[in-house]
Amino acid sequence: MMKALAVIATHAALLVAGCSSSSDQPKKAPFPAPASFATDEPAIGNHIVYLRGRSESPGAERVVLDVVAQGAGPSVHGAAFRLSWDTAKLAFVEAHVGAVWSKQAVALAKEGLPGELVVVWSEKGNSPGVDASGETVLGSIDFRLKTGEASTLAFRPDRSTLRDRDGAPVTVEWRGGRIAPR
């Protein structure tokens, strides 16, 4: 009798949760907690571009990565970079230019190869550029989590650059990070 009650209680719990025992495809359970993100540790100095992650809410399947410049100087005129990730764990959704850029700024983002995003954010003409002397959000990139596994995102420093108003490179370190397992 007790075993029969346990089976009935389990079946009722499944029905309440929206999954019947005869269903071919059970509903996907939401992720249990918001994604946490750890930025790779920078070397000594503060001339860096790094990723800072945030999640929408508990159970969210998306993570937003802010692209942050710090100590890059008062006249950043453009940013171009490549970011890579594991496509089995993450899917690129969209990129957004930051509020620090003018309305005339060029904003392009394209997944050139699977798992590699190419981004260009740049001012046009004689614009004074962006003051990235302090911590400055250049833009953000949204990803959809495919799994609850840890995932690494990395800039390709050889294909990433900040440029000043004259087109000269601004020397910075590029730091990716990791989405922690959930």
Side-chain angles (χ1 to χ4, degrees):
M1 174 89 167
M2 292 299 282
K3 188 174 181 181
L5 286 174
V7 170
I8 292 170
T10 302
H11 185 72
L14 287 173
L15 288 173
V16 169
C19 299
S20 72
S21 58
S22 63
S23 174
D24 289 342
Q25 295 208 351
K27 288 190 176 184
K28 184 178 175 186
F31 290 107
S36 62
F37 187 82
T39 302
D40 291 344
E41 291 296 320
I44 298 172
N46 68 350
H47 304 289
I48 61 174
V49 175
Y50 63 95
L51 297 174
R52 179 175 56 207
R54 54 191 160 90
S55 185
E56 294 175 337
S57 63
E61 293 181 13
R62 284 175 69 157
V63 65
V64 178
L65 301 175
D66 290 331
V67 179
V68 182
Q70 181 176 330
S75 185
V76 172
H77 207 261
F81 58 89
R82 289 184 187 231
L83 184 68
S84 61
W85 67 92
D86 183 344
T87 58
K89 298 175 183 177
L90 298 172
F92 169 65
V93 177
E94 59 188 336
H96 307 275
V97 67
V100 295
W101 301 97
S102 73
K103 291 186 192 295
Q104 293 78 28
V106 174
L108 303 169
K110 181 177 181 180
E111 191 174 357
L113 297 171
E116 186 171 86
L117 182 66
V118 178
V119 176
V120 175
W121 295 320
S122 181
E123 290 293 349
K124 286 179 162 182
N126 292 327
S127 167
V130 171
D131 184 356
S133 299
E135 190 176 81
T136 305
V137 177
L138 300 176
S140 61
I141 304 167
D142 296 5
F143 286 93
R144 182 177 53 78
L145 303 172
K146 291 181 169 182
T147 71
E149 298 175 68
S151 185
T152 300
L153 294 107
F155 287 109
R156 285 196 43 202
D158 62 320
R159 301 297 304 263
S160 300
T161 186
L162 292 184
R163 297 289 172 153
D164 69 12
R165 184 178 172 155
D166 297 325
V170 176
T171 303
V172 294
E173 276 188 66
W174 294 84
R175 294 292 173 186
R178 291 167 312 288
I179 297 173
R182 304 191 312 160

